[in-house]
Amino acid sequence: MIEAYFAEKVPEVNRWLDQLMPPVTTPPPRIHEAMRYSLMAGGKRLRPILVLAAGEVFGGAPERLYPVACAFEMVHTYSLIHDDLPAMDNDDLRRGMPTCHKQFDEATAILAGDGLMTHAFRILAEMDAPAEQKVRVIRELAVGSGTVEGMIAGQIVDLEAEGKPIDAGRLAFIHRAKTGALIRGALVCGGIVADAAESDLALLSAYGDRVGLAFQIADDILDETATAEQLGKTPGKDAAAGKATYPALYGLEASRKQAEALAEEAIEVLAPLGQRAQLLIEMARFVVNRTS
Amino acid sequence: MIEAYFAEKVPEVNRWLDQLMPPVTTPPPRIHEAMRYSLMAGGKRLRPILVLAAGEVFGGAPERLYPVACAFEMVHTYSLIHDDLPAMDNDDLRRGMPTCHKQFDEATAILAGDGLMTHAFRILAEMDAPAEQKVRVIRELAVGSGTVEGMIAGQIVDLEAEGKPIDAGRLAFIHRAKTGALIRGALVCGGIVADAAESDLALLSAYGDRVGLAFQIADDILDETATAEQLGKTPGKDAAAGKATYPALYGLEASRKQAEALAEEAIEVLAPLGQRAQLLIEMARFVVNRTS
């Protein structure tokens, strides 16, 4: 079921991304070419899919869910472009293709990342939804990708922690902030534009917290066990860079168990939703069992 | 009068910036230290002052005008941090102090810029104003700093144009986009949160278009004529880098005349506002006659 859901929705997400981006011929073409290069390079589209899945539980309308889904993917992609820069993780390969600064140049990559973030907020401001919903979604996106327990917070602590001993609390903070916060935000925003009740938004938030952390643990595991072909990026780089990872701290087997336990916790959180939660339940298991 | 206005408002802007930023002790401290380092380094605070001046014309409330003013300054500061990076303009000095990447490191500077942009949108989403106003302001900020005729568009065309012959149309595009669009946006947003009529917002936009271009021409002139002490940054760098500037294309005297003509045009645009426009009239003259 989950594979069928991805197979059905990912092409739709890509179509919306294409429509919501300025055409590649829009002046100045170079910046839009670079933004599209990284945005349309494929990728799992997990964050958009989570927006859609959460939104569907509460009967959200596609014309509100897709712009939100795309805004989250744009912010995720900007973060990949900036993280791949020589001054950060210095990666040459992403989604199976040369990274943005390799394909273009560093200045263009910095600006393409900036441009994707800016455009994400513009899309949310312009979408067809009540102003109150738009403001809430914009706030969630800014918080999830921000410097206080958000994506940027996780990235800077991750960089600081390189090559140093790390304790369990700090490692969980990095993973929750770097990856979990945006995933949690995507789920909550799917609920917001679907007019979900506050109590249901709280369930999505709690579910997203567990799924987000589980996703990043699974990512750590894949970085040690998968091939470049499976990942579309260079594997083993985290360990080589002395990055703080779950397998490095706990070992592979214990990391797997933690990810699975978090997925089960996420599923339990959704109990009040009963049958409606089926898609999100499968999603939690998919996140930890994926092979790429 | 204009000097007194700056003397009165700039300390208020700085107080609001300080309040609206996460405290420096907020984890992770390094990112907030870097963001505050660049944001609180001084600077003219022109964009915030323009928000306030436009807002005052239409009786805007300070508790709405200041958050908007601060959001524009945060976006302006993020752009300075990223523009100063080695891959971009490679500047060591800004606002009389080492640039962010010199004081910290490149990775931190990239993230501090990202963080300031993200925080600007968060502040706008959280401020105490009707949701419709917040959405409009968020949209203006995203457009003014964006890749389509906004700040990022100007920056990428500016980089592309380095060391190449340039025509008048392209040069005006760069200046309007790189600097003018955000200045225009600041003025319009001051009007939006002051509940100005659509016709008055159109006046602010037309005024901002002229003042924004005039400001950047004056900037080009100062880059050739002022000292590092006056500017707080390295002068003469534009010419050395083969940057497209008005003095390079037209000469100093003709550039001065164009800036002054634009200021007078801006002032004429405001005629329907009568006496209420006094502050903005002085502001237009100040922008072209400033010495730093």
Side-chain angles (χ1 to χ4, degrees), chain B residues 120-267:
Chain B
F121 285 108
R122 176 172 179 170
I123 281 170
L124 294 178
E126 290 181 350
M127 72 173 176
D128 185 15
E132 286 77 9
Q133 280 185 8
K134 297 203 255 192
V135 167
R136 280 192 81 168
V137 168
I138 287 164
R139 183 177 176 279
E140 288 290 337
L141 182 61
V143 170
S145 64
T147 62
V148 182
E149 298 180 17
M151 189 176 75
I152 299 172
Q155 179 65 5
I156 194 133
V157 179
D158 193 26
L159 289 170
E160 285 177 331
E162 267 181 29
K164 293 179 196 152
I166 193 158
D167 61 54
R170 199 168 169 82
L171 180 58
F173 172 86
I174 292 174
H175 281 33
R176 279 207 156 87
K178 190 171 71 165
T179 320
L182 201 62
I183 285 178
R184 197 194 58 73
L187 287 154
V188 170
C189 287
I192 288 171
V193 292
D195 255 327
E198 292 301 323
S199 57
D200 289 329
L201 296 179
L203 295 185
L204 287 173
S205 177
Y207 165 88
D209 178 64
R210 275 92 178 158
V211 164
L213 179 54
F215 174 86
Q216 186 55 44
I217 298 173
D219 220 57
D220 286 356
I221 295 168
L222 285 169
D223 187 67
E224 293 219 351
T225 60
T227 63
E229 203 182 341
Q230 282 174 309
L231 292 185
K233 60 183 178 185
T234 319
K237 283 212 59 163
D238 290 351
K243 284 253 183 200
T245 70
Y246 270 69
L249 189 64
Y250 298 102
L252 273 175
E253 225 8 73
S255 299
R256 271 202 193 93
K257 288 219 169 85
Q258 282 201 54
E260 280 162 18
L262 282 162
E264 291 310 314
E265 232 181 277
I267 290 166

Side-chain angles (χ1 to χ4, degrees), chain A residues 22 26-32 35 78 82-83 85 87-88 106-108 110-119 121-122 124-126 130-132 134-136 138-139 141-143 145-149 152-157 159-160 173, chain B residues 22 26-32 35 78 82-83 85 87-88 106-108 110-119 121-122 124-126 130-132 134-136 138-139 141-143 145-149 152-157 159-160 173:
Chain A
T26 310
R30 186 178 172 80
I31 187 73
H32 298 116
M35 288 158 75
Y78 115 68
H82 282 188
D83 287 1
L85 286 167
M88 305 262 263
E106 269 186 67
T108 304
I110 294 166
L111 292 172
D114 294 344
L116 282 168
M117 181 184 352
T118 312
H119 198 60
F121 286 108
R122 177 172 178 171
L124 294 178
E126 289 181 352
E132 287 77 10
K134 297 203 257 193
V135 167
R136 279 192 82 168
I138 288 164
R139 183 177 176 280
L141 182 61
V143 170
S145 63
T147 63
V148 182
E149 298 181 17
I152 299 172
Q155 179 65 5
I156 194 132
V157 179
L159 289 171
E160 283 178 331
F173 172 85
Chain B
T26 311
R30 186 178 171 82
I31 188 73
H32 298 117
M35 288 159 74
Y78 115 67
H82 282 188
D83 288 1
L85 286 166
M88 304 262 262
E106 270 187 66
T108 304
I110 293 166
L111 292 171
D114 294 344
L116 282 168
M117 182 186 348
T118 312
H119 198 61
F121 285 108
R122 176 172 179 170
L124 294 178
E126 290 181 350
E132 286 77 9
K134 297 203 255 192
V135 167
R136 280 192 81 168
I138 287 164
R139 183 177 176 279
L141 182 61
V143 170
S145 64
T147 62
V148 182
E149 298 180 17
I152 299 172
Q155 179 65 5
I156 194 133
V157 179
L159 289 170
E160 285 177 331
F173 172 86

